[in-house]
């Protein structure tokens, strides 16, 4: 059974930092692309924040470039998102993506996510 468990969210003031973790199990992590998505509310889009492919390619959305860093530890089957210089507009539920995609690749409806709240 595929397992994705996000953690590390919380409430911080603007300019602060958080480190999200996503522990995974149930599939070959080494061969899996990994990513982080976020959703500001259930009615809003599920936005790709960053991804780290199994081949080592990294992508960041423009609005997080220079502030967020995605990394992965294949020995621990875990993907991370270091978030620095947080802004109120980063407030969202963050979801990790790894392993077999869910139907229609709706990653923001797949795991439980972790809430990040940034105050001004």
């Amino acid at each position: 059974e595929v397992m994705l468990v996000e953690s590390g969210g919380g409430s911080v003031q603007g300019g602060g930092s958080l480190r999200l973790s996503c522990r995974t199990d149930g599939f070959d992590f080494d061969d899996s692309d990994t990513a982080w998505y976020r959703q500001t509310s259930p009615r809003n889009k599920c936005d790709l924040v960053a991804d780290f492919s199994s081949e080592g390619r990294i992508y960041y959305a423009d609005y997080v470039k220079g502030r967020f860093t995605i990394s992965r530890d294949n020995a621990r089957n875990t993907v991370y998102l270091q978030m620095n210089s947080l802004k109120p507009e980063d407030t969202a539920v963050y979801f990790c993506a790894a392993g077999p995609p869910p139907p229609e690749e709706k990653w923001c409806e797949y795991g439980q996510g972790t809430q990040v709240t940034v105050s001004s």
Side-chain angles (χ1 to χ4, degrees):
E1 182 183 356
V2 172
M3 179 188 76
L4 304 175
V5 180
E6 301 100 335
S7 62
S11 297
V12 296
Q13 286 195 326
S17 298
L18 286 172
R19 188 191 193 210
L20 306 184
S21 299
C22 176
R23 188 166 48 90
T24 75
D25 198 5
F27 59 93
D28 188 343
F29 186 84
D30 288 11
D31 285 342
S32 174
D33 296 337
T34 59
W36 286 94
Y37 288 78
R38 73 185 187 187
Q39 190 175 40
T40 55
S41 77
R43 292 185 178 185
N44 287 351
K45 265 183 31 173
C46 183
D47 291 322
L48 176 63
V49 176
D51 72 45
F52 195 145
S53 77
S54 59
E55 293 88 14
R57 292 186 305 271
I58 296 177
Y59 161 87
Y60 294 103
D62 286 344
Y63 48 81
V64 304
K65 278 181 183 174
R67 300 188 298 124
F68 291 10
T69 302
I70 188 171
S71 61
R72 55 189 288 167
D73 185 338
N74 288 356
R76 291 184 167 84
N77 294 347
T78 301
V79 57
Y80 304 96
L81 186 68
Q82 177 67 43
M83 306 187 296
N84 298 329
S85 302
L86 282 161
K87 305 175 181 180
E89 50 265 44
D90 294 319
T91 295
V93 180
Y94 285 72
F95 299 85
C96 79
E104 301 179 42
E105 298 195 31
K106 290 186 176 181
W107 290 106
C108 291
E109 297 177 17
Y110 194 48
Q112 87 282 0
T114 185
Q115 175 72 49
V116 171
T117 303
V118 185
S119 58
S120 56

